[in-house]
Amino acid sequence: MSLRITALAGGIGGARFIRGLLAHLRDHYPDGAGGTAAEVTVIGNTGDDIWMHGIKVCPDLDTVMYTLGDGIEESQGWGRRDESFTVKAELAEYGAGPEWFGLGDRDLATHLVRTRLLTAGRTLSEVTDELCQRWKPGVRLIPMSDQRVETHVIVDEPEGARTAMHFQEWWVRYRASLPAHGFVMVGIDDAQPAPGVVEAIRGCDVLLLPPSNPVVSIGSILSVPGIREAVGTTSAPVIGVSPIIGGAPVRGMADACLTAIDVETSCVAVAAHYGSRAHGGLLDGWLIDSTDATFVGDIESLGIRCRAVPLFMTDVAATALMASDALALADETT
Amino acid sequence: MSLRITALAGGIGGARFIRGLLAHLRDHYPDGAGGTAAEVTVIGNTGDDIWMHGIKVCPDLDTVMYTLGDGIEESQGWGRRDESFTVKAELAEYGAGPEWFGLGDRDLATHLVRTRLLTAGRTLSEVTDELCQRWKPGVRLIPMSDQRVETHVIVDEPEGARTAMHFQEWWVRYRASLPAHGFVMVGIDDAQPAPGVVEAIRGCDVLLLPPSNPVVSIGSILSVPGIREAVGTTSAPVIGVSPIIGGAPVRGMADACLTAIDVETSCVAVAAHYGSRAHGGLLDGWLIDSTDATFVGDIESLGIRCRAVPLFMTDVAATALMASDALALADETT
């Protein structure tokens, strides 16, 4: 039976890691036709999803789809290459904001197709499958849930009042600069894992947690009732890749999210936050960056096997090596 | 009290005529601030409206709004100037048609704003008001109805089966080349005139029927229960401008529409189709083109006062003269 790998993924970090994973697999588990014989399933975060101008935007699913489908704007890591913003400028002429959301013309077509299919009664999983017909990402991409779940952030507004705002507003408009007091996942109690999610977690040979945001990406996925339990009880080794190097997030503003939930921004604290499977947590193994090698002992003392390897995803080749290291660590734990 | 003019209007022909009317009024009924003291109300056809990709497109309302708001692509008479088609091309990549509908990026923003407001519970009249805040067309633009009404065309498909298709498909995709056996206005029985429509018809000093399509533009407006009656009984003179010159439509494919309802494509036949108010019809006066001057007697014998003047809307100045002639004819009939 072919190697089955499942990964949970947020946006940019997850998408790039999986692109590297696929590059590794094409070389080491080739299918003889230029692809890989391994089966990769990606469970995407939908907590960032937002309805905007009456259309459904799924930033993380699209980042995965565009990145793996060679449509991503590489320089920023999200959105479409050769993007234009004509519609956004026209919406602004009507006074229809928000100004802070970079809704591109090419990207908009994706949202229009998605919204139309959702409105016609299709589930988000079915719609995602349909969109992937075009992008051929080389993985099976499943949203964490077909139900609407939206991450909101508890913040103090600049004027001082405590309020909750959609994650996108906090992240994109305020660049996570308003101190967050916590996150609320609206709709999470009524959400179920999308069809195939639990099976992909339980039925894989290796489960990977890429270097995505531990709170609002991986954390959101784990919040869907049933998913954390599936991760905790899968027979596959669970290997995480630290998004924190040298006490700071590699990119993005994960530190602001970690601070909000009282977790230190360090590769050790994030490992502890996920916890060791031996002690009721999630991780069998944890990759940290070579520059953090001094912490290997601390992490192993948590009951998590740890290796220090280069974790900067400077290009696809470097990322493929990271993925290779993650799979090697999985082998070590079994 | 200031001069109050109401016009029924379809797309290009109606919009251009009203632009000429406004130019005339600015010169002859100035408000001292560069505009006109006359109050012009335009009742727009919405029978061409179509839902596409989950968004509501109102081609005729938008043509009026863009033409009067200086946003129109003059060379084609519809759509936005400096338009691009990025979203449409991307939709095609997803296999999301129809290919034949020229959905521009700038135009799309209008439809998105409209759809969002409609979905939020606003009426089409209210939404049209809102869109006009941006375009400042210099008229009050009211859709004929707030209810959804769609013109469908009974045709024989190329394969031979009789079917009905949305007017836009017949008009844009087939360029009205499939012989039409008739028109069905889906939803018309449940439609009411939008707020202000009947009042604008009854309360004006002159009611104009611009050179719009007599069947699918003016005819659609007149089909809304209550509107034909209001036109027939208003105390204002009702003056029409022939869209037919020399036995052919000036532009568009009105001949195909007239043929479908067994009306000859001539300025006389269209006048007879509208009918004389003296005999239960709609018209007090009818402007025909100078080249059709030989038909003045035929039309007057129908009980409709007729004048032959230049009717080619070659530019705004020429159109302003046409509008002036229409108002002069209104004066003659009172």
Side-chain angles (χ1 to χ4, degrees):
Chain A
M1 186 182 281
S2 62
L3 178 65
R4 294 158 306 176
I5 300 174
T6 295
L8 314 188
I12 303 173
R16 287 185 171 168
F17 178 79
I18 292 156
R19 181 169 61 179
L21 172 68
L22 287 174
H24 169 76
L25 293 172
R26 278 192 297 271
D27 284 348
H28 295 83
Y29 298 84
D31 64 359
T36 174
E39 293 173 18
V40 180
T41 300
V42 176
I43 297 164
N45 171 41
T46 59
D48 298 10
D49 292 5
I50 187 166
W51 283 87
M52 194 162 281
H53 303 290
I55 56 176
K56 172 83 164 177
V57 182
C58 300
D60 282 1
L61 292 179
D62 289 348
T63 294
V64 171
M65 193 169 72
Y66 296 157
T67 299
L68 303 183
D70 194 28
I72 201 80
E73 172 53 51
E74 196 66 34
S75 68
Q76 63 191 8
W78 56 269
R80 294 286 311 279
R81 189 157 52 225
D82 300 326
E83 186 57 289
S84 56
F85 293 88
T86 304
V87 177
K88 177 176 156 68
E90 287 291 326
L91 288 168
E93 291 290 331
Y94 282 112
E99 263 300 303
W100 48 264
F101 196 81
L103 188 66
D105 299 330
R106 290 178 188 273
D107 197 30
L108 178 59
T110 302
H111 312 322
L112 280 174
V113 172
R114 172 187 293 123
T115 304
R116 188 190 197 185
L117 293 169
L118 287 173
T119 307
R122 311 276 289 279
T123 65
L124 185 60
S125 313
E126 292 169 342
V127 172
T128 303
D129 265 353
E130 180 97 12
L131 296 173
C132 285
Q133 298 284 318
R134 171 181 175 191
W135 291 101
K136 298 177 176 47
V139 302
R140 179 173 178 211
L141 175 61
I142 318 179
M144 66 190 202
S145 176
D146 281 338
Q147 282 76 47
R148 178 173 176 173
V149 175
E150 284 186 0
T151 305
H152 285 65
V153 191
I154 314 292
V155 294
D156 294 331
E157 284 192 322
E159 302 77 38
R162 183 154 297 193
T163 185
M165 63 176 63
H166 191 286
F167 173 75
Q168 291 292 345
E169 183 170 6
W170 181 67
W171 193 253
V172 178
R173 180 179 186 186
Y174 292 105
R175 305 288 303 155
S177 64
L178 296 179
H181 299 290
F183 301 93
V184 178
M185 300 205 54
V186 180
I188 197 71
D189 292 341
D190 297 322
Q192 298 109 45
V197 165
V198 169
E199 294 78 355
I201 292 169
R202 289 198 196 280
C204 65
D205 300 305
V206 181
L207 182 64
L208 298 175
L209 308 191
S212 289
N213 189 308
V215 185
V216 294
S217 296
I218 305 289
S220 294
I221 299 171
L222 294 170
S223 300
V224 178
I227 293 188
R228 176 181 289 275
E229 186 189 19
V231 173
T233 57
T234 179
S235 58
V238 180
I239 307 297
V241 180
S242 177
I244 307 296
I245 299 180
V250 178
R251 61 165 296 146
M253 299 152 291
D255 45 342
C257 301
L258 289 165
T259 301
I261 62 164
D262 289 323
V263 173
E264 196 190 321
T265 303
S266 77
C267 62
V268 180
V270 173
H273 171 66
Y274 284 138
S276 159
R277 287 234 283 176
H279 305 100
L282 302 175
L283 294 175
D284 294 297
W286 186 238
L287 280 188
I288 61 174
D289 187 65
S290 308
T291 58
D292 286 323
T294 177
F295 298 113
V296 167
D298 292 341
I299 291 160
E300 297 221 314
S301 74
L302 297 168
I304 301 167
R305 190 172 288 251
C306 183
R307 291 291 172 269
V309 299
L311 288 192
F312 282 101
M313 299 190 283
T314 44
D315 57 25
V316 175
T319 313
L321 282 177
M322 279 171 60
S324 171
D325 288 329
L327 296 180
L329 183 54
D331 277 343
E332 280 185 52
T333 64
T334 50
Chain B
M1 189 185 277
S2 61
L3 178 65
R4 293 158 308 176
I5 300 175
T6 295
L8 315 188
I12 304 174
R16 287 184 173 170
F17 178 79
I18 292 156
R19 183 170 58 180
L21 172 68
L22 288 174
H24 168 75
L25 293 172
R26 278 194 295 270
D27 284 347
H28 294 82
Y29 298 83
D31 65 357
T36 173
E39 293 173 18
V40 180
T41 301
V42 176
I43 298 164
N45 172 40
T46 59
D48 298 10
D49 292 5
I50 188 166
W51 283 86
M52 194 161 279
H53 304 290
I55 55 176
K56 172 82 163 179
V57 183
C58 300
D60 282 2
L61 292 179
D62 289 348
T63 295
V64 171
M65 194 169 70
Y66 296 158
T67 300
L68 302 184
D70 194 28
I72 201 80
E73 172 52 50
E74 196 66 34
S75 67
Q76 62 189 8
W78 56 269
R80 294 287 311 279
R81 190 158 49 226
D82 300 325
E83 187 56 290
S84 56
F85 293 89
T86 305
V87 177
K88 178 175 156 65
E90 287 291 327
L91 288 169
E93 291 289 331
Y94 282 112
E99 262 301 303
W100 48 264
F101 196 81
L103 189 66
D105 298 330
R106 290 178 189 272
D107 198 29
L108 178 58
T110 301
H111 313 323
L112 281 174
V113 172
R114 172 187 293 122
T115 305
R116 187 190 198 185
L117 292 170
L118 287 173
T119 307
R122 311 276 290 277
T123 65
L124 185 59
S125 314
E126 291 169 341
V127 172
T128 303
D129 264 352
E130 180 97 12
L131 296 173
C132 284
Q133 298 282 320
R134 170 182 176 190
W135 292 102
K136 300 178 177 43
V139 302
R140 179 174 177 209
L141 175 62
I142 319 180
M144 66 190 202
S145 177
D146 281 338
Q147 282 76 47
R148 179 175 177 172
V149 174
E150 283 186 1
T151 304
H152 284 65
V153 191
I154 314 292
V155 293
D156 294 332
E157 283 191 324
E159 302 78 36
R162 183 153 296 191
T163 185
M165 62 176 64
H166 191 285
F167 173 77
Q168 291 292 345
E169 184 170 8
W170 181 67
W171 192 255
V172 178
R173 181 180 186 186
Y174 292 106
R175 306 286 304 155
S177 63
L178 297 179
H181 299 290
F183 300 93
V184 178
M185 300 205 56
V186 180
I188 196 73
D189 293 343
D190 297 322
Q192 298 110 43
V197 166
V198 169
E199 294 78 357
I201 292 170
R202 289 198 195 280
C204 65
D205 300 305
V206 182
L207 181 64
L208 297 174
L209 308 191
S212 289
N213 190 308
V215 185
V216 296
S217 295
I218 305 290
S220 294
I221 298 170
L222 293 170
S223 300
V224 178
I227 292 188
R228 176 181 289 275
E229 186 189 19
V231 173
T233 57
T234 179
S235 58
V238 180
I239 307 298
V241 180
S242 178
I244 308 297
I245 298 180
V250 178
R251 62 165 297 143
M253 299 152 291
D255 46 342
C257 300
L258 288 166
T259 301
I261 62 164
D262 289 323
V263 173
E264 197 190 319
T265 302
S266 77
C267 61
V268 181
V270 173
H273 171 65
Y274 283 139
S276 157
R277 286 233 284 176
H279 305 98
L282 302 175
L283 293 177
D284 293 297
W286 187 237
L287 280 188
I288 62 174
D289 187 64
S290 308
T291 59
D292 286 323
T294 178
F295 299 114
V296 167
D298 293 341
I299 290 160
E300 296 223 316
S301 72
L302 297 169
I304 300 167
R305 191 172 286 251
C306 182
R307 291 291 173 269
V309 300
L311 288 192
F312 283 100
M313 299 191 283
T314 44
D315 56 25
V316 174
T319 313
L321 282 177
M322 281 171 59
S324 170
D325 288 329
L327 295 179
L329 184 54
D331 277 342
E332 280 185 51
T333 65
T334 51

